[in-house]
Amino acid sequence: MLAGCGFELRKEPEYHFKTLALRGFLPHSPLSQELRRQVQRSTLRLLEDSNRADVILEVEREVRDKTSVATTTAGQITEWQLRLQLDYSLRTAGGEV
């Protein structure tokens, strides 16, 4: 029945490049660490030398924000809204975007 309804298991993404370099992340950035973990699970190779990478993911700005959205009558915060704003560019080692 599953074959007839169009259901398909999630596949590994197909990339048009083989190597990736990460640049511009803050030291010990949780986002950088998670990206590195995810890349290691994929078919991509993560390179430290961005001149040798097929593609470079360069972070221009990473901003984290925390705002209270719900409080009790006593003023205690019961719910937070967490936001991450990331400005980045994805380009080749030659500078093409």
Side-chain angles (χ1 to χ4, degrees), residues 9-45:
L9 293 174
R10 184 181 298 182
K11 294 180 182 177
E12 192 70 29
E14 294 180 25
Y15 302 103
H16 298 286
F17 50 92
K18 298 195 182 310
T19 58
L20 174 71
L22 303 177
R23 288 182 46 185
F25 284 94
L26 297 173
H28 310 292
S29 163
L31 180 59
S32 161
Q33 292 172 354
E34 183 59 29
L35 277 173
R36 288 177 188 281
R37 228 183 335 268
Q38 292 297 323
V39 168
Q40 288 174 351
R41 294 178 56 206
S42 74
T43 58
L44 294 175
R45 278 191 15 228

Side-chain angles (χ1 to χ4, degrees), residues 10-84:
R10 184 181 298 182
K11 294 180 182 177
E12 192 70 29
E14 294 180 25
Y15 302 103
H16 298 286
F17 50 92
K18 298 195 182 310
T19 58
L20 174 71
L22 303 177
R23 288 182 46 185
F25 284 94
L26 297 173
H28 310 292
S29 163
L31 180 59
S32 161
Q33 292 172 354
E34 183 59 29
L35 277 173
R36 288 177 188 281
R37 228 183 335 268
Q38 292 297 323
V39 168
Q40 288 174 351
R41 294 178 56 206
S42 74
T43 58
L44 294 175
R45 278 191 15 228
L46 192 60
L47 300 179
E48 295 300 322
D49 182 7
S50 58
N51 294 323
R52 294 181 43 225
D54 295 334
V55 173
I56 301 164
L57 176 65
E58 185 163 9
V59 172
E60 292 150 11
R61 188 169 69 125
E62 180 180 342
V63 179
R64 296 176 181 277
D65 184 31
K66 180 168 126 176
T67 309
S68 65
V69 293
T71 58
T72 64
T73 55
Q76 294 177 322
I77 298 171
T78 58
E79 187 176 341
W80 292 98
Q81 179 181 37
L82 304 175
R83 286 185 283 192
L84 171 64

